[in-house]
Amino acid sequence: MDARKRRILGTLIDDYIVSAEPVGSRTLAKKYGLGISSATIRNEMADLEELGFLEQPHTSAGRVPSDRGYRYYVDELMQRPQVGSDTVNRVRMVLAAPVREIAWFIHQTAQLVSDMTAYPSVVVAPPVNDARLGDIRVMQLNSGTLLLVVATDSGLVENRAVPLPEDMSFEQVVWLAQEFAREFRGMPIKELKDRILDPLASDEERYHGLWESLLGWMSDWRTNDDRVTLAGSLNILKYPEFRDVGKVERVLGFLEREQAVEQLLYAALPQSEQVHVIIGQESPFDAIWDCSVVTATYQLRGHIVGQVSVIGPKRMQYAHVVTTLEMVSEELSRALKWA
Amino acid sequence: MDARKRRILGTLIDDYIVSAEPVGSRTLAKKYGLGISSATIRNEMADLEELGFLEQPHTSAGRVPSDRGYRYYVDELMQRPQVGSDTVNRVRMVLAAPVREIAWFIHQTAQLVSDMTAYPSVVVAPPVNDARLGDIRVMQLNSGTLLLVVATDSGLVENRAVPLPEDMSFEQVVWLAQEFAREFRGMPIKELKDRILDPLASDEERYHGLWESLLGWMSDWRTNDDRVTLAGSLNILKYPEFRDVGKVERVLGFLEREQAVEQLLYAALPQSEQVHVIIGQESPFDAIWDCSVVTATYQLRGHIVGQVSVIGPKRMQYAHVVTTLEMVSEELSRALKWA
DNA sequence: ATTAGCACTCCTGCGGCTAGAGTGCTAACT
DNA sequence: AGTTAGCACTCTAGCCGCAGGAGTGCTAAT
């Protein structure tokens, strides 16, 4: 893999990323001043194909990058652009807004990223399981209905309306919730749920049915659903590789399966700082074998808690996406400093 | 418009709804035992075309219903099926779940409807403006951050995290929120917001900056955004009329414009009980001229507050959709009885 | 090692053609 | 007078073959 081969491969991919058409030796020689003739390029391209970096849709078409070609491009060739300060400012403007619930930041980020990259974006919120119980508040929606609001120490919030038990007054419930919060504050939600499911715990029976309601509700807290926010999914319709409705259906259908998405992006977690790229068949899910996924992680209190991610055709603007995600995830971590 | 013409028109539309292909006289005569020859049907179809109920894609194709044809079908011809008790039960099972926030019901309903009809579904939540201020609670997310929870009397809930003002203690904030709630409880949110925007009100300045924060936050409450929930949008990809990505983009793009959708469905409000149908070019939005929209309303405390709706190709299963929506909206109203 | 030249391959697009479906009209029938 | 059989006509979808073009691989010259 000498310098010239790298140069050719890089240029070819650059061109294919914007043109979406197989690239021929002529195009490469003419359009970009490589200083070598098309014949030489042809030879090199034949080599590159043998090495597995390029593919030919058919004999007399130009070359197209293979998964492996993209991989090499992403790992070695692509040149990351500088992120414009106006872009950074835009992100900061949005995320530096008055403090909000974490869920709000997640949504904004997804929206922002899909706007900035013109690909669909997926953002995974911090898991509830790892968080600890913060506080509980009760309010009365109307005569027969209560609203319970539970917060974790990490700023995640969940509301749930419940009927007011007939044999209890509102004040009793408030007191009960206080007791509950006092007893369990600081306990990891996961542990709390485990304990709830332990039959011994319910033996006590000391606090009426509502105590159980509270416990039952906690255990019902969807901790793994609902973590995934999708934005800009329609962006995918813009790319010619998805002119076929069947493909669109497969990809968007996949993105709606939250557990699958979460599992996919889980792969990005170990690589702490690095932005993680999944190209085509590197994915365990065949529904997105025509796609690439770029993922960055963000942090809350120094721990990685979630992912910001972009999905698009394999012919993706990797350089732009990678730098954008790096920047956004950093800004998101910063914006969550308060939490 | 004699009985036979009606019969023919009805059968033709029934067939077209499932086949999606222009229907010829032969098909009609053979497949359905109409007891008349194809020649007679041809004559009748020519009449029906002259009357504006049918159209011909081209000379030697079968006939296709026109917007007017569908309209007549919906108003006069279609036979509503009985809703199976198992279907009703399924809906009740979902909606009769332990009491939740209204937003939860809206989501569930949208999901349910798109599942049951296999079309995208849109549900509009009750407007915040019409509701009255219920209660406010404050909780501490962490040392520097508060969570405000505001509920309306109609069960709508909104959370907002805010920074704790430096010169106030948590207890002071709690007290302040109580005061605020006490002073304004029962006031329509709209009025509250108007009052907030009135410069005179802020003259008082009696309760520090946080009072203003509270007011400012109230005025920031998105009352008209966020009312629209979309579910099952991918369903549209299943129908051959949307095999073209451009069309999909137009329609789904439209559905993401919440204000537009709200405005469209607003047309359904006056017709209280009735299910409302918009066919093709009857819509003021040309993005959905290839579509039909069926809308039912639901109630909260005896008032119509929102819409449950389905969008699909003009060749829609009107009978099924109309009865389904009627049933679901009724069940939704019932499920919201507690609010 | 590079490059010009050339024969070869394969896709794409176009025109023409045919088969099939469906119509409208006419004439016969009840 | 309404209905129906028959028939000529129309229009499309699909297929074939063909030419043009793009791109390749190979060979021979530089």
Side-chain angles (χ1 to χ4, degrees):
Chain A
M1 213 45 193
D2 56 16
R4 194 170 68 185
K5 278 199 179 51
R6 295 160 55 107
R7 178 107 190 272
I8 289 173
L9 180 57
T11 324
L12 187 149
I13 296 185
D14 281 337
D15 186 83
Y16 184 67
I17 283 178
V18 309
S19 73
E21 309 252 300
V23 185
S25 54
R26 237 180 87 87
T27 317
L28 230 40
K30 272 202 160 179
K31 202 158 144 195
Y32 309 89
L34 295 186
I36 43 180
S37 78
S38 68
T40 311
I41 295 181
R42 271 203 292 285
N43 289 328
E44 295 286 43
M45 294 205 319
D47 289 352
L48 285 168
E49 181 167 359
E50 218 166 308
L51 290 168
F53 293 118
L54 294 180
E55 283 168 358
Q56 255 181 320
H58 54 83
T59 326
S60 79
R63 298 308 207 288
V64 161
S66 67
D67 284 9
R68 194 154 163 228
Y70 285 122
R71 167 55 61 197
Y72 191 80
Y73 176 83
V74 167
D75 289 344
E76 314 263 349
L77 301 178
M78 72 177 179
Q79 319 212 23
R80 306 202 185 178
Q82 203 73 8
V83 181
S85 63
D86 45 345
T87 318
V88 180
N89 282 338
R90 182 180 165 204
V91 176
R92 288 200 180 145
M93 286 280 260
V94 174
L95 296 185
V99 180
R100 296 265 208 151
E101 266 185 82
I102 287 187
W104 183 88
F105 284 93
I106 300 301
H107 269 90
Q108 292 295 314
T109 304
Q111 200 65 55
L112 206 50
V113 169
S114 74
D115 276 6
M116 290 184 352
T117 61
Y119 300 112
S121 168
V122 167
V123 180
V124 182
V128 174
N129 272 339
D130 300 354
R132 293 155 184 280
L133 181 63
D135 206 355
I136 302 182
R137 281 285 183 287
V138 184
M139 60 200 297
Q140 192 147 17
L141 284 182
N142 59 48
S143 61
T145 317
L146 305 173
L147 184 78
L148 298 177
V149 185
V150 176
T152 68
D153 63 341
S154 61
L156 293 170
V157 177
E158 171 116 344
N159 299 336
R160 175 78 54 108
V162 292
L164 173 64
E166 290 179 9
D167 52 353
M168 293 183 76
S169 70
F170 178 64
E171 285 70 24
Q172 282 176 299
V173 175
V174 171
W175 176 80
L176 199 53
Q178 264 172 6
E179 286 294 300
F180 188 97
R182 200 164 49 78
E183 180 151 348
F184 294 120
R185 172 169 299 141
M187 179 177 288
I189 302 293
K190 184 167 168 46
E191 193 176 323
L192 194 54
K193 288 170 69 175
D194 288 348
R195 171 170 307 204
I196 287 162
L197 296 178
D198 177 1
L200 288 181
S202 61
D203 276 354
E204 314 186 12
E205 231 181 306
R206 47 184 174 164
Y207 294 113
H208 259 98
L210 189 78
W211 190 263
E212 286 215 4
S213 288
L214 261 173
L215 288 166
W217 171 51
M218 296 291 307
S219 75
D220 186 29
W221 198 349
R222 299 158 308 206
T223 48
N224 284 321
D225 273 1
D226 253 8
R227 282 188 67 199
V228 175
T229 297
L230 172 64
S233 53
L234 291 188
N235 277 326
I236 210 169
L237 299 177
K238 288 207 282 268
Y239 302 98
E241 31 272 276
F242 295 95
R243 210 171 301 144
D244 173 31
V245 174
K247 286 189 182 177
V248 174
E249 198 169 8
R250 271 198 314 176
V251 173
L252 294 188
F254 170 80
L255 291 181
E256 289 196 344
R257 290 170 42 213
E258 300 203 349
Q259 315 96 342
V261 172
E262 217 178 310
Q263 190 184 329
L264 175 73
L265 299 191
Y266 191 75
L269 280 184
Q271 279 81 355
S272 68
E273 300 281 6
Q274 261 322 65
V275 172
H276 190 238
V277 180
I278 299 169
I279 296 165
Q281 304 207 4
E282 292 174 5
S283 157
F285 299 96
D286 59 357
I288 54 166
W289 277 1
D290 293 329
C291 298
S292 281
V293 180
V294 181
T295 307
T297 58
Y298 65 91
Q299 310 193 352
L300 190 61
R301 306 184 176 176
H303 295 95
I304 292 175
V305 291
Q307 301 97 315
V308 183
S309 164
V310 158
I311 187 169
K314 289 198 289 191
R315 175 187 70 81
M316 185 191 272
Q317 302 259 20
Y318 291 101
H320 174 228
V321 170
V322 165
T323 51
T324 302
L325 282 191
E326 231 163 31
M327 183 268 287
V328 170
S329 65
E330 207 168 290
E331 292 301 324
L332 178 58
S333 300
R334 178 182 319 212
L336 295 179
K337 275 277 162 57
W338 56 268
Chain B
M1 209 51 188
D2 56 16
R4 195 170 68 185
K5 278 198 179 53
R6 295 160 55 107
R7 179 107 190 272
I8 290 173
L9 181 57
T11 325
L12 188 147
I13 296 185
D14 281 337
D15 186 85
Y16 185 66
I17 284 178
V18 310
S19 73
E21 308 255 299
V23 185
S25 54
R26 238 179 87 88
T27 318
L28 230 41
K30 273 205 160 175
K31 201 159 145 196
Y32 310 89
L34 295 186
I36 44 180
S37 77
S38 69
T40 311
I41 295 180
R42 271 203 290 285
N43 289 328
E44 294 286 42
M45 295 206 319
D47 289 352
L48 285 168
E49 181 166 0
E50 219 167 306
L51 289 168
F53 294 118
L54 295 179
E55 283 168 357
Q56 256 181 318
H58 54 83
T59 326
S60 79
R63 298 308 208 289
V64 161
S66 66
D67 285 8
R68 199 163 158 219
Y70 285 120
R71 168 55 60 198
Y72 191 81
Y73 176 83
V74 167
D75 290 344
E76 315 260 351
L77 301 179
M78 72 178 180
Q79 318 211 25
R80 306 203 185 177
Q82 203 73 8
V83 181
S85 63
D86 45 345
T87 317
V88 181
N89 283 338
R90 181 180 166 205
V91 176
R92 287 199 181 142
M93 286 280 260
V94 174
L95 295 185
V99 180
R100 297 264 207 153
E101 265 186 83
I102 287 187
W104 183 89
F105 284 93
I106 300 300
H107 268 91
Q108 292 295 313
T109 304
Q111 201 64 56
L112 208 49
V113 169
S114 74
D115 276 5
M116 290 184 352
T117 60
Y119 299 113
S121 168
V122 166
V123 181
V124 182
V128 174
N129 273 340
D130 301 354
R132 291 155 184 280
L133 182 63
D135 207 354
I136 303 183
R137 282 287 183 284
V138 183
M139 60 200 295
Q140 193 146 16
L141 285 182
N142 59 47
S143 61
T145 319
L146 305 173
L147 184 78
L148 297 177
V149 185
V150 177
T152 67
D153 63 342
S154 62
L156 293 168
V157 177
E158 170 115 345
N159 301 336
R160 175 79 56 107
V162 292
L164 174 63
E166 289 178 8
D167 51 353
M168 291 184 77
S169 71
F170 178 63
E171 285 71 24
Q172 280 176 300
V173 175
V174 171
W175 175 79
L176 201 52
Q178 264 174 5
E179 285 295 298
F180 188 96
R182 198 164 51 77
E183 180 153 344
F184 293 119
R185 174 169 296 142
M187 181 178 287
I189 301 293
K190 186 171 168 42
E191 193 176 323
L192 194 53
K193 289 170 69 177
D194 289 348
R195 173 169 307 204
I196 287 162
L197 296 177
D198 178 2
L200 287 180
S202 60
D203 276 356
E204 313 185 13
E205 234 181 306
R206 46 183 175 168
Y207 295 113
H208 258 96
L210 189 78
W211 190 263
E212 286 214 5
S213 288
L214 261 172
L215 289 166
W217 171 50
M218 297 291 306
S219 75
D220 187 27
W221 199 348
R222 297 157 309 205
T223 48
N224 285 319
D225 273 3
D226 254 6
R227 283 187 66 199
V228 175
T229 297
L230 172 63
S233 55
L234 292 187
N235 277 325
I236 210 170
L237 299 177
K238 288 207 282 267
Y239 302 99
E241 31 271 276
F242 294 95
R243 210 169 303 143
D244 173 32
V245 174
K247 285 189 182 176
V248 174
E249 199 169 8
R250 272 199 313 177
V251 173
L252 294 188
F254 171 80
L255 292 181
E256 289 196 344
R257 289 170 42 213
E258 300 203 349
Q259 314 97 342
V261 172
E262 216 178 311
Q263 189 182 330
L264 176 73
L265 299 191
Y266 190 77
L269 279 183
Q271 280 82 354
S272 66
E273 301 281 6
Q274 263 318 69
V275 173
H276 190 237
V277 181
I278 299 169
I279 297 164
Q281 305 207 4
E282 292 174 4
S283 156
F285 299 95
D286 57 358
I288 55 167
W289 277 1
D290 293 329
C291 299
S292 282
V293 180
V294 182
T295 308
T297 58
Y298 65 90
Q299 310 192 350
L300 189 63
R301 308 188 175 173
H303 294 97
I304 292 175
V305 291
Q307 301 98 315
V308 183
S309 165
V310 157
I311 187 168
K314 290 198 288 191
R315 173 186 70 82
M316 184 191 274
Q317 301 259 23
Y318 291 101
H320 174 230
V321 170
V322 166
T323 51
T324 301
L325 282 191
E326 234 163 29
M327 182 268 286
V328 169
S329 65
E330 208 168 290
E331 293 300 325
L332 178 58
S333 300
R334 177 181 321 209
L336 294 179
K337 275 278 162 54
W338 58 268

